[in-house]
């Protein structure tokens, strides 16, 4: 069997972050074509205490970056919350794709034996890498992707499920 | 190595559908406590051509049911779009949990050799079971879970990320 911790993490993160990069591009073109102030989309949110669009993009990238680092026993890095433009978001996404794409299946050898100590409301909960990936990293990654999409749809950006799934694409 | 097509599908679907069942319960109690017409939440949507809350729940259940069936070489079933109450949604979710929980790791032996023919905008695209799970089933499942959550948050239902992730819970 192939190494599941590799197959279900970095190639998945890279593929769906490239999809997110294209979705950011669709929002950018829509704002430009309709003379919409970019900030109206970038800072849009579904409820006052939820992250705005830019925060959803940042959280998706941060989840991919930290999940990859934790499963590989590396120190996850924190990044500044300072994205202000579509270009800032493209840069963040592309930097994250480059980071997660830098590891191969061989790097994940033994990752299934690793325990991830994870900060939660109850302190720090140690989980196996596999439990961490299935219970936190993947659901959280897709949460922020879907919510980024939902914010744009709620604001009338012309998107469809095909833009989120891209089944036919080898990207 | 364990069978990844099992580990990343039916136990994940069952766990997160139980979480969704609890989220539906939170919405139900909120409506009751605040004297909110249940329909105001059940039929809420983020944009006129998106599914309402009940449709997001149905799509999450349908994705879990059809993905499980397709990977096991069984005929996926279609179910009526007729949920009108919170109780209907609880029943649908619990029925789906029972279905996906009925299979064991042994049932997934050889599933990685199976090809899934998948209806798409371009006709039917054959994918390996593993590509189908990573490119379609999981991102689509979490899309509908997150969007169900987003609809409730947008409508003021008191929910937080802890209700969506439940890291500390063995459920």
């Amino acid at each position: 069997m192939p190494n599941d911790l590799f197959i279900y993490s970095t190639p998945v993160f890279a593929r769906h972050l490239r999809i997110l990069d294209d979705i950011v591009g669709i929002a950018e073109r829509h704002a430009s074509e309709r003379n919409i102030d970019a900030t109206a989309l970038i800072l849009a949110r579904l409820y006052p205490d939820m992250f705005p669009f830019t925060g959803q993009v940042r959280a998706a990238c941060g989840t991919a970056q930290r999940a990859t680092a934790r499963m590989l026993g590396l120190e996850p890095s924190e990044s500044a919350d300072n994205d202000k433009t579509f270009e800032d978001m493209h840069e963040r996404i592309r930097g994250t794709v480059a980071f997660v794409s830098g590891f191969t299946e061989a790097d994940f050898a033994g990752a299934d034996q690793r325990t991830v100590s994870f900060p939660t409301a109850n302190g720090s909960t140690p989980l196996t890498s596999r439990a961490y990936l299935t219970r936190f990293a993947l659901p959280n990654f897709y949460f922020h992707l879907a919510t980024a999409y939902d914010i744009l749809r709620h604001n009338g950006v012309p998107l469809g499920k095909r833009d989120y799934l891209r089944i036919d694409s080898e990207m």
Side-chain angles (χ1 to χ4, degrees), chain A:
Chain A
M1 295 296 282
N3 187 321
D4 60 290
L5 293 182
F6 168 71
I7 290 180
Y8 289 81
S9 68
T10 52
V12 166
F13 294 146
R15 173 179 163 83
H16 288 273
L17 286 172
R18 285 191 198 102
I19 288 173
L20 180 63
D21 198 38
D22 287 349
I23 287 174
V24 170
I26 292 170
E28 190 175 7
R29 281 192 299 281
H30 179 71
S32 167
E33 286 164 11
R34 301 283 293 267
N35 289 317
I36 292 169
D37 179 353
T39 311
L41 296 180
I42 291 170
L43 295 184
R45 51 181 104 215
L46 294 174
Y47 203 68
D49 66 354
M50 290 182 81
F51 286 155
F53 181 66
T54 181
Q56 303 295 344
V57 169
R58 178 170 175 258
C61 291
T63 299
Q65 188 272 329
R66 289 190 294 273
T68 301
R70 287 188 178 125
M71 290 191 293
L72 293 173
L74 307 171
E75 195 62 36
S77 65
E78 287 299 325
S79 68
D81 179 10
N82 56 3
D83 293 352
K84 301 216 179 319
T85 65
F86 287 119
E87 194 48 41
D88 291 341
M89 285 185 273
H90 284 305
E91 265 183 47
R92 180 182 294 274
I93 294 168
R94 290 165 194 174
T96 310
V97 170
F99 174 77
V100 302
S101 302
F103 302 100
T104 64
E105 183 157 1
D107 293 317
F108 282 79
D112 60 320
Q113 301 303 315
R114 206 164 270 131
T115 296
V116 174
S117 267
F118 186 73
T120 67
N122 296 341
S124 183
T125 303
L127 291 174
T128 65
S129 288
R130 195 173 281 120
Y132 169 72
L133 183 59
T134 55
R135 288 191 204 170
F136 176 78
L138 288 171
N140 198 51
F141 178 68
Y142 286 123
F143 175 88
H144 293 294
L145 285 191
T147 303
Y149 171 100
D150 285 343
I151 290 170
L152 295 180
R153 288 283 268 117
H154 184 63
N155 282 276
V157 175
L159 287 168
K161 277 296 278 304
R162 69 195 170 284
D163 298 305
Y164 173 83
L165 286 170
R166 305 280 290 272
I167 300 293
D168 294 337
S169 161
E170 287 298 326
M171 78 187 293

